[in-house]
């Protein structure tokens, strides 16, 4: 499984738009093949920072996700709205336990 | 590396207390040996749901974390405040990329 964590920091005047775009991206991504989990949260220590947690069946599913035109458009649309560079980290992960 | 994701859903009357306890837990945990990353966020789709993302150097570091009295007290203190059972998932993870 591939776990993706990512974040984007908004400005006060762009937060609502980024949140809307992010939720649309999450809902769209959940329908894509190989998408196990996809969600966005607000950082408790920085209310302008949105954090993504995603799980994909494998690298191919994630690559396909990146290639979806709407995914590319989402990333493009974020650029003028972001107060800081977006971050993205990919992990090869195996679930050990669910407590 | 061990990645931990967890969540707790508050009631309207307990959210602020859970958020305070959670941030105290995050700040305390970051000082523990083997803690690579520890943070708490608010679910964009459920403003009463708090989501934890943690990274620990290895299973031993995580086990030590669970055994810290303050960690146990945190988990105990959450019980009467939670609107739903807490969730916790452990992953064995290797970082592939940082984009």
């Amino acid at each position: 499984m591939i776990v993706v964590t990512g974040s984007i920091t908004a400005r006060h005047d762009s937060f609502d738009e980024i949140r809307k775009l992010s939720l649309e991206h999450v809902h769209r991504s959940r329908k894509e093949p190989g998408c196990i989990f996809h969600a966005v949260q607000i950082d408790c220590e920085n209310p302008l920072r949105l954090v993504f947690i995603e799980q994909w069946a494998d690298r191919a599913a994630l690559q396909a996700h990146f290639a979806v035109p709407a995914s590319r458009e989402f990333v493009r649309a974020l650029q003028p709205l972001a107060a800081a560079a977006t971050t993205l980290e990919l992990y090869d992960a195996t679930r050990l336990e669910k407590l």
Side-chain angles (χ1 to χ4, degrees), chain A:
Chain A
M1 168 188 349
I2 303 292
V3 169
V4 178
T5 59
S7 71
I8 177 161
T9 303
R11 301 184 307 265
H12 285 284
D13 66 335
S14 66
F15 179 81
D16 290 342
E17 179 65 7
I18 288 182
R19 185 176 179 278
K20 183 172 91 54
L21 291 171
S22 298
L23 281 168
E24 288 167 5
H25 179 67
V26 164
H27 296 154
R28 186 178 51 242
S29 301
R30 286 175 182 164
K31 297 174 194 147
E32 293 176 19
C35 182
I36 300 168
F37 180 85
H38 205 297
V40 59
Q41 292 95 26
I42 301 164
D43 184 343
C44 276
E45 296 172 283
N46 178 355
L48 291 176
R49 184 169 174 267
L50 288 153
V51 177
F52 289 84
I53 309 178
E54 311 172 25
Q55 295 175 356
W56 295 88
D58 50 37
R59 200 68 191 263
L62 181 59
Q63 295 302 352
H65 168 64
F66 286 153
V68 169
S71 291
R72 292 183 183 210
E73 176 50 30
F74 169 63
V75 171
R76 196 206 57 71
L78 290 181
Q79 302 315 315
L81 302 172
T86 56
T87 67
L88 203 66
E89 296 190 12
L90 275 55
Y91 299 84
D92 182 31
T94 308
R95 191 166 80 183
L96 299 172
E97 264 178 88
K98 181 165 188 166
L99 306 175

